[in-house]
Amino acid sequence: MTPKQLRDVCLSFNGAGEEFPFPRNPDLSTFKVGGKIFAITALGAKPLSVSLKCEPDLAVRLRAEHAAIVGGYHLNKRHWNTVTLDTSLPHDMVRDMIEDSYDLIVAALPRLTRLKLDWPGAQAKA
């Protein structure tokens, strides 16, 4: 996955935006929804990697199954994974992990915000 593809996937979700909130690390992109981060990456880094929120049990399983997935770098390793975007992981799998991270964040947002985002899970949580 290229930096452009990663950015495009992260911004493809309803209400998603990109911010650069760390003055000491101006190249560090954060992708947010409802003011909450669901993906963190340095798009110019080599190798390219992205940190994503993940359900704790799944996070541990993914780390055990894939060398390219480790506990979140400088993040709560129980809830975050850092994924190296080399050729070892299928593009669809990475996209699914990004979507899962987005969904975890949106699910925790207030109901009105979820409804404004037209998030499919909003009806399930209502």
Side-chain angles (χ1 to χ4, degrees):
M1 182 174 278
T2 67
K4 181 184 181 333
Q5 289 171 325
L6 175 58
R7 176 182 271 135
D8 289 348
V9 169
C10 288
L11 293 175
S12 70
F13 302 105
N14 292 348
E18 182 178 18
E19 295 182 14
F20 300 87
F22 305 109
R24 298 180 104 185
N25 293 306
D27 297 333
L28 199 60
S29 296
T30 61
F31 295 93
K32 295 181 173 185
V33 61
K36 304 291 184 184
I37 297 172
F38 69 91
I40 305 170
T41 185
L43 291 169
K46 296 203 189 300
L48 180 62
S49 66
V50 62
S51 293
L52 302 166
K53 190 148 180 130
C54 190
E55 293 200 17
D57 292 337
L58 178 58
V60 171
R61 254 192 340 265
L62 289 170
R63 290 179 212 152
E65 295 171 4
H66 304 280
I69 302 174
V70 297
Y73 181 70
H74 286 297
L75 297 163
N76 181 334
K77 288 164 184 34
R78 178 169 159 73
H79 297 279
W80 289 84
N81 279 338
T82 295
V83 181
T84 300
L85 302 176
D86 56 19
T87 58
S88 68
L89 299 174
H91 180 84
D92 289 343
M93 179 182 178
V94 173
R95 189 191 188 297
D96 288 346
M97 287 189 290
I98 295 168
E99 184 175 13
D100 288 348
S101 181
Y102 171 89
D103 286 343
L104 284 169
I105 297 301
V106 173
L109 294 174
R111 182 176 182 274
L112 183 58
T113 304
R114 292 192 312 266
L115 291 171
K116 285 180 183 177
L117 289 170
D118 195 29
W119 180 60
Q123 290 78 22
K125 285 197 73 154

